[in-house]
Amino acid sequence: SYSLPSTLKGIGSYTFNSARSLSSITLPEGLEYIGEHAFDGAKLSSITIPSTVTSIGEGAFSCENMVRVNWNAVDAIAKGPLSSSIEKITFGEGVKRVPDELMSNCSGLVRAIFSSTIEEIGAGAFSGCESLKRIDWAENGRLKIIDNYAFGRCKSLNEFVLPKEVEVIDTLAFCECDALERVILSEGSQLREIGQSCFADLNLLTSINLETSSAPYMIIGEGAFSNTSLTSVSLHNVKIIGENAFRACKKLEVVNIPINSPLEEMGDCAFYYCPSLSSFTFPDGIKKIGKSVLYNTSVSTIVLPESLEFVGGG
């Protein structure tokens, strides 16, 4: 073990590198900087990052035995993943943002616990965490944004419960989450944007309750649900459906769009090759319909509303 002074502001690069007997250390409040590979090779099994830390260098905690992290850093930048062996990470109260790629490729991570103050999960924050199965959200949380590729390649996630405060799920946020079957929006969800290819090519994805969203409108990005196994979808408050949004959803049978829906625009090939889809109703206010939106479906009759300003070819 090693005792650090309470006045310490920084730990330089390689300070405890290869300290193979070091199994216990307490980082003091007031610490601001931890250099690259500072504890690389140490025998630490757990660590608490103080709230005052603002910078952590690459490979600072590359410890083979590291299994638990308590992350209290309110406003920190971390270069690269912490450690691939971490099994559980807990974010303390006061933390507002999970740094980009903080836990990327942490193959041992099984559980993540989020505090109520988290507002954003950074780009690629949990990408490649192939063992991640359990995510615990605090009650009365403030999470608003899940950045691009945040949970990409989390191959053990089979269900994701979206906190109601989340407004944006960004591009590729759940890319290659091959086991994901259900996305559940909490009652009163504020979700207003689903990014490009967010859930694309998830062959086991059969259910998402978009009708739970109480946001004034929602935008569904290009290819957001393409090539999934959705059987039905309700788009009651959707304003824009991007190109290829539901392309090749071969099991999709029901698309519920209310006649008074705010839908204004439907991009090219939005429902291209959805052979199980046999009926479709355009809402009264739609202005633009892209090309081939219902190509290779089983829809035989459609009614074009008077509001329409543009229809694409094909």
Side-chain angles (χ1 to χ4, degrees):
S1 64
Y2 196 87
S3 179
L4 297 171
S6 60
T7 55
L8 193 68
K9 297 295 183 183
I11 298 175
S13 299
Y14 296 90
T15 301
F16 296 95
N17 179 263
S18 298
R20 302 192 185 282
S21 296
L22 182 62
S23 60
S24 176
I25 195 166
T26 300
L27 304 180
E29 282 292 327
L31 184 68
E32 298 174 0
Y33 169 81
I34 302 172
E36 62 182 20
H37 302 285
F39 295 92
D40 189 348
K43 201 178 180 181
L44 298 173
S45 61
S46 65
I47 196 74
T48 295
I49 309 297
S51 64
T52 51
V53 170
T54 58
S55 177
I56 298 179
E58 184 176 358
F61 294 99
S62 294
C63 309
E64 292 181 1
N65 296 331
M66 183 72 72
V67 293
R68 293 184 303 279
V69 172
N70 296 314
W71 183 275
N72 296 328
V74 174
D75 186 21
I77 296 175
K79 294 183 179 179
L82 287 180
S83 173
S84 61
S85 62
I86 296 169
E87 296 177 4
K88 183 176 80 169
I89 184 167
T90 302
F91 295 93
E93 292 296 320
V95 180
K96 293 184 178 181
R97 188 178 191 274
V98 179
D100 296 348
E101 300 184 357
L102 178 68
M103 303 298 293
S104 63
N105 298 313
C106 289
S107 56
L109 188 68
V110 175
R111 184 181 181 188
I113 302 172
F114 294 90
S115 65
S116 64
T117 56
I118 294 286
E119 296 179 0
E120 182 176 355
I121 297 176
F126 295 91
S127 61
C129 293
E130 297 189 352
S131 299
L132 182 60
K133 295 180 180 180
R134 181 173 174 181
I135 297 173
D136 295 339
W137 306 109
E139 293 184 9
N140 302 315
R142 305 174 193 170
L143 181 63
K144 295 184 183 300
I145 300 173
I146 298 176
D147 279 340
N148 57 291
Y149 208 52
F151 292 95
R153 291 188 297 114
C154 289
K155 295 182 180 292
S156 295
L157 276 180
N158 65 359
E159 180 178 279
F160 190 88
V161 179
L162 191 72
K164 69 177 183 179
E165 296 81 11
V166 175
E167 297 178 0
V168 177
I169 306 176
D170 215 335
T171 302
L172 296 167
F174 292 89
C175 173
E176 297 183 63
C177 291
D178 298 333
L180 191 61
E181 299 178 11
R182 296 173 299 279
V183 178
I184 301 172
L185 275 64
S186 300
E187 195 67 35
S189 170
Q190 296 300 305
L191 185 62
R192 57 178 175 79
E193 184 174 344
I194 299 175
Q196 180 178 346
S197 301
C198 186
F199 299 100
D201 300 318
L202 303 186
N203 293 324
L204 296 182
L205 183 62
T206 60
S207 174
I208 182 168
N209 57 331
L210 296 177
E211 68 276 7
T212 306
S213 173
S214 59
Y217 66 87
M218 184 186 296
I219 295 173
I220 297 179
E222 296 180 15
F225 295 96
S226 62
N227 195 29
T228 61
S229 294
L230 292 174
T231 57
S232 65
V233 64
S234 180
L235 308 175
H236 76 287
N237 68 339
V238 174
K239 186 176 183 179
I240 298 174
I241 300 175
E243 295 180 8
N244 301 301
F246 295 91
R247 181 176 180 139
C249 290
K250 299 174 185 177
K251 298 181 180 180
L252 187 62
E253 298 179 357
V254 178
V255 177
N256 181 19
I257 304 177
I259 202 70
N260 61 347
S261 161
L263 184 64
E264 295 180 357
E265 181 179 334
M266 187 179 297
D268 296 347
C269 304
F271 293 91
Y272 182 100
Y273 194 31
C274 295
S276 299
L277 188 61
S278 59
S279 64
F280 196 92
T281 301
F282 290 104
D284 283 344
I286 193 165
K287 296 179 181 179
K288 180 180 178 181
I289 299 174
K291 65 181 180 182
S292 304
V293 293
L294 295 171
Y295 188 81
N296 265 349
T297 67
S298 298
V299 176
S300 58
T301 303
I302 59 171
V303 176
L304 299 179
E306 294 182 359
S307 60
L308 200 60
E309 297 174 0
F310 175 85
V311 179

